[in-house]
Amino acid sequence: MDKNVKSRICLAIFGLGIVNFVLFFIGAVYLGGDAVNGKIVDGHYFLMSHGRYTEVSADIFNYSRWHAYSTWVTHPLAFAAGYWYYRIKRAAGAGF
């Protein structure tokens, strides 16, 4: 595979990971927390941020939970893609 193609793939993965994390952060701030730190009590759904709970619907709770889980995948992929991008560029002798 061509080094330019590899570089573009790495940059795309890195960009998607960063965008996903930023969207998760904005959503957590807007909604009042995230479901991973939240809880379900007697059919009521709560997001949590910094010790404060915010009650939300079941749909919002599930969205928040799955978006948090997605960052657990995309964040490490973004770091790995950034590392491989650096290695590809260094091997090619090109500067940033």
Side-chain angles (χ1 to χ4, degrees):
M1 187 181 305
D2 182 53
K3 289 183 182 183
N4 286 331
V5 173
K6 288 180 185 179
S7 294
R8 288 180 188 209
I9 290 170
C10 287
L11 286 176
I13 293 169
F14 182 80
L16 288 173
I18 297 301
V19 167
N20 190 42
F21 179 76
V22 168
L23 291 175
F24 170 74
F25 178 78
I26 290 169
V29 169
Y30 177 76
L31 295 172
D34 65 84
V36 172
N37 294 311
K39 62 183 177 180
I40 302 171
V41 178
D42 296 327
H44 295 269
Y45 297 84
F46 298 92
L47 304 180
M48 201 264 283
S49 178
H50 300 286
R52 296 188 67 201
Y53 289 98
T54 303
E55 187 170 4
V56 296
S57 69
D59 290 336
I60 296 294
F61 185 86
N62 287 323
Y63 157 76
S64 176
R65 180 175 39 175
W66 285 105
H67 200 164
Y69 292 160
S70 75
T71 63
W72 295 356
V73 174
T74 60
H75 205 72
L77 285 176
F79 277 99
Y83 170 75
W84 283 107
Y85 177 79
Y86 167 76
R87 295 274 310 215
I88 291 165
K89 288 299 183 182
R90 192 174 82 174
F96 292 97

